C-alpha cells in the first residue's frame, strides 16, 4: 500500500484529493496487465484513447476547450503523473505528452487553434507532440537552425528536429523554428504543424532502453499557414520556456511516482525475504536504506508540490521552483530505485521485474525537458537575479 499521507498537505484541495483517489482506482483496474510485448506505438494510441475515455486527459487542457479546470492546474497534472507513473510508466508518458505537446497551444494559440486542437487532445482523439530539440540544439535552444521563412500568408519550414516523443504517431506537432527577428533566443517562432502536411516526414526512429515512440523529423519546403503560428513572431522561445515551466514540475511528479513504486516493492520484498534467521527488513543496513528512500521521496514531493501550488494558487512564475523540483526529484528517484533494486538482489536485474523496469524508465527523466545541468544553470541564474 503506497503512502498517501502527503495528500493531507496544505498544498491540495478537494479536487486534487478526489483525482488522486479516482485515478488510483482506475489505474488499478485498467493498467495492471499491459502487454509490453505488443507494438509500443499501438499501445500508446490505445492508452491515449483509454485515458481520454476515462476523462483524465481533461487535466491537460483549459476548461473552455474540454478541460477540467479554468487554467491547467499544475497540482492536478502532478497528481495524475505521479499516480500513473506509480502504476505504469507508459501511461504516464502518454498523459504527459498530451499536455506537453499541446501546452504551447493552451498558452499562446489563437481562439481558432485552441478550438480546433485542444478538445480532441482532451478526448485522446488527437495525439500531440512538442518539437523543440535539434541535433545541435538540445540544452541550448537558442542555437536552433530549423527555419520558417514568411511567404505571403504562409511560412515555409526547412530543417530537422530530433528526440521528438510521439514522433511518428502524433497527429500534430508544436514546432519551434527560426524566423530571424533577432539572433539566438529572440528570433524563434512557434507553429502547429499537422502530421500530414506535405514536406514533413519522420526521418529516423530512435529505440530506447525504456521504449516509447521517439523519432527525428525532417522539414523540406514544408508550407504552413501563417494562422498556424502560436503567439507573436519572435516570441517562440518564451512560449517554449513557459510550456516547460509547467511541465518540468510534472516530470518531477513522474519521478516521484516511480520512486514511490520502488519503495513499495522494496518494502514488500524486505518484509518477505528470509535470511540468517530473520527477514531482510530486520537488518539495520536495510533499515538505513529504507530511511534514506522514504526521506528522499518526501523531500522530492515537498519541492514538487511547492512548485505546483505556487503556480496554481499564488499565480507566480515558477521557473526556479520547477527547476529545483525537476532536478531534485529525478536525481533522488534514480537513487531510490537503485536502492530498491539492491534489496531485490539478483531478481532486481531480471527482465520483467517491476524494479528492473523502473531502473530503465527513470534514467531519461534526468535528461529530457532540461538535463540536471541545465536545471542547475536556471536555479543559479534565478537565485543570482533575486540577490
Ligand atoms: N518564462 C518566460 N520567459 C523566459 C523564460 C521563462 N521560463 N526563460 C527565459 N525567458 C525569456 C528571457 O527573459 C529572455 O527574454 P528577453 O528576450 O525579453 O530578455 C529570453 O527568454 C531569452 O532567455 P535567456 O537569455 O535566458 O536564454 P538562453 O538562450 O540563455 O537560454 C536556458 C537559457 C539554458 C535556460 C534555455 O535554453 C533552456 O531552458 N534550455 C533547456 C531546454 C530544454 O529543456 N530542452 C529539452 C527539450 S524539451 S524535451
Amino acid at each position: 500500500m503506497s503512502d498517501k499521507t502527503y495528500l493531507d498537505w496544505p498544498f491540495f484541495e478537494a479536487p486534487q484529493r478526489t483525482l488522486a483517489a479516482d485515478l488510483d482506482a482506475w489505474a488499478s483496474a485498467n493498467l495492471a496487465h499491459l502487454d509490453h510485448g505488443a507494438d509500443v506505438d499501438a499501445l500508446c494510441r490505445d492508452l491515449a484513447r483509454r485515458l481520454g475515455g476515462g476523462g483524465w486527459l481533461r487535466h491537460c487542457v483549459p476548461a473552455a476547450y474540454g478541460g477540467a479546470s479554468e487554467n491547467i492546474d499544475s497540482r492536478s497534472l502532478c497528481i495524475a503523473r505521479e499516480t500513473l507513473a506509480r502504476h505504469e510508466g507508459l501511461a504516464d508518458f502518454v498523459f504527459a505528452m498530451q499536455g506537453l505537446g499541446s501546452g504551447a497551444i493552451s498558452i499562446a494559440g489563437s481562439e481558432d487553434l485552441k478550438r480546433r486542437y485542444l478538445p480532441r487532445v482532451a478526448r485522446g482523439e488527437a495525439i500531440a507532440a512538442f518539437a523543440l530539440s535539434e541535433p545541435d540544439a538540445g540544452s541550448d535552444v537558442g542555437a536552433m537552425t530549423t527555419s520558417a521563412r514568411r511567404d505571403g500568408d504562409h511560412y515555409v519550414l526547412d530543417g530537422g528536429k530530433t528526440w521528438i516523443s510521439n514522433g511518428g504517431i502524433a497527429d500534430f506537432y508544436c514546432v519551434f523554428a527560426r524566423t530571424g527577428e533577432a539572433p539566438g533566443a529572440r528570433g524563434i517562432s512557434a507553429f502547429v504543424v499537422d502530421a500530414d502536411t506535405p514536406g514533413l516526414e519522420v526521418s529516423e526512429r530512435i529505440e530506447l532502453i525504456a521504449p516509447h515512440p521517439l523519432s527525428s523529423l525532417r522539414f523540406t519546403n514544408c508550407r504552413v499557414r501563417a494562422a498556424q503560428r502560436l503567439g507573436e513572431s519572435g516570441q517562440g522561445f518564451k512560449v517554449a520556456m513557459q510550456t516547460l515551466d509547467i511541465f518540468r514540475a510534472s516530470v518531477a511528479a513522474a519521478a516521484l511516482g516511480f520512486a514511490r513504486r520502488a519503495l513499495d516493492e522494496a518494502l514488500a520484498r524486505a518484509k518477505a525475504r528470509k535470511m540468517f534467521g530473520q527477514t531482510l527488513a530486520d537488518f539495520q543496513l536495510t533499515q538505513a536504506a529504507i530511511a534514506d528512500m522514504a526521506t528522499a521521496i518526501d523531500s522530492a514531493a515537498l519541492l514538487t508540490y511547492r512548485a505546483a501550488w505556487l503556480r496554481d494558487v499564488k499565480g507566480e512564475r515558477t521557473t526556479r521552483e520547477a527547476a529545483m523540483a525537476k532536478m531534485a526529484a529525478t536525481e533522488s528517484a534514480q537513487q531510490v530505485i537503485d536502492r530498491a533494486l539492491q534489496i531485490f538482489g539478483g531478481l532486481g536485474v531480471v527482465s520483467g521485474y517491476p524494479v528492473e523496469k523502473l531502473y530503465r524508465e527513470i534514467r531519461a527523466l534526468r535528461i529530457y525537458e532540461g538535463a540536471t545541468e541545465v536545471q542547475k544553470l536556471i536555479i543559479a541564474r534565478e537565485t543570482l537575479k533575486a540577490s
Side-chain angles (χ1 to χ4, degrees):
M1 176 69 175
S2 210
D3 178 21
K4 304 273 173 50
T5 55
Y6 71 100
L7 291 167
D8 292 330
W9 291 352
F11 297 125
F12 304 112
E13 291 161 66
Q16 291 98 26
R17 294 189 175 110
T18 305
L19 170 63
D22 291 352
L23 182 54
D24 192 39
W26 183 88
S28 297
N30 287 275
L31 300 176
H33 304 293
L34 221 57
D35 177 10
H36 284 277
D39 169 358
V40 72
D41 290 6
L43 212 48
C44 286
R45 282 196 199 93
D46 181 51
L47 281 168
R49 269 192 302 272
R50 289 202 278 147
L51 286 165
W56 311 115
L57 298 176
R58 291 183 307 118
H59 295 283
C60 296
V61 308
Y65 311 98
S69 47
E70 189 181 343
N71 297 310
I72 294 173
D73 183 71
S74 288
R75 291 164 299 168
S76 300
L77 274 185
C78 289
I79 291 277
R81 288 201 65 181
E82 180 182 336
T83 306
L84 290 172
R86 182 161 49 75
H87 282 274
E88 172 52 60
L90 204 58
D92 165 62
F93 164 78
V94 170
F95 176 90
M97 283 316 304
Q98 290 299 90
L100 179 68
S102 68
I105 305 177
S106 296
I107 289 170
S110 65
E111 189 57 28
D112 175 56
L113 290 176
K114 286 176 176 167
R115 284 191 191 290
R116 276 173 38 221
Y117 289 92
L118 297 179
R120 290 188 293 135
V121 168
R123 292 194 297 266
E125 291 167 9
I127 293 183
F130 184 72
L132 181 69
S133 298
E134 298 184 2
D136 294 318
S139 292
D140 183 6
V141 175
M144 74 171 58
T145 58
T146 293
S147 63
R149 176 176 52 81
R150 185 82 192 224
D151 181 18
D153 53 7
H154 282 75
Y155 281 88
V156 183
L157 272 63
D158 282 285
K161 294 283 171 187
T162 194
W163 310 120
I164 309 308
S165 287
N166 277 346
I169 70 162
D171 293 288
F172 68 88
Y173 299 84
C174 285
V175 181
F176 298 82
R178 181 159 297 290
T179 35
E181 294 76 4
R186 291 170 189 87
I188 292 167
S189 301
F191 303 89
V192 193
V193 183
D194 289 319
D196 58 2
T197 308
L200 164 55
E201 57 170 353
V202 173
S203 51
E204 182 197 9
R205 171 78 182 207
I206 304 166
E207 300 300 338
L208 299 168
I209 55 172
H212 73 236
L214 187 77
S215 296
S216 302
L217 305 177
R218 183 93 227 139
F219 296 88
T220 313
N221 208 13
C222 177
R223 293 180 70 80
V224 176
R225 286 191 310 121
Q228 297 289 104
R229 197 184 66 216
L230 295 165
E232 297 300 312
S233 78
Q235 296 298 307
F237 182 88
K238 285 188 189 171
V239 173
M241 293 302 125
Q242 286 165 352
T243 309
L244 289 171
D245 278 352
I246 301 176
F247 288 94
R248 275 178 183 153
S250 81
V251 179
L256 199 52
F258 288 145
R260 280 198 205 281
R261 176 64 180 268
L263 179 59
D264 295 346
E265 297 287 338
L267 289 172
R269 169 79 181 165
K271 287 193 208 165
R273 171 75 165 150
K274 301 264 192 308
M275 59 167 68
F276 301 108
Q278 49 188 354
T279 70
L280 200 50
D282 293 321
F283 287 91
Q284 283 195 350
L285 280 176
T286 309
Q287 291 168 15
I290 288 169
D292 288 344
M293 292 158 87
T295 307
I297 287 173
D298 271 16
S299 309
L302 283 162
L303 281 174
T304 302
Y305 290 111
R306 188 250 323 233
W309 173 84
L310 262 181
R311 182 174 170 277
D312 292 342
V313 177
K314 304 291 262 185
E316 289 177 12
R317 182 170 153 182
T318 53
T319 304
R320 172 177 164 274
E321 290 78 9
M324 283 182 171
K326 202 239 172 211
M327 175 179 79
T330 57
E331 292 291 328
S332 70
Q334 179 91 60
Q335 289 168 14
V336 168
I337 292 166
D338 190 58
R339 285 260 167 102
L341 191 150
Q342 194 72 11
I343 286 173
F344 271 78
L347 290 178
V349 289
V350 174
S351 298
Y353 271 78
V355 286
E356 178 271 340
K357 182 163 163 277
L358 292 165
Y359 192 78
R360 288 183 289 105
E361 283 175 326
I362 188 59
R363 191 61 185 85
L365 277 66
R366 290 167 56 203
I367 299 170
Y368 71 59
E369 285 182 49
T372 291
E373 292 73 11
V374 168
Q375 308 309 329
K376 286 189 176 170
L377 200 73
I378 294 170
I379 296 163
R381 277 186 188 191
E382 296 290 321
T383 307
L384 285 165
K385 227 192 288 174
S387 68

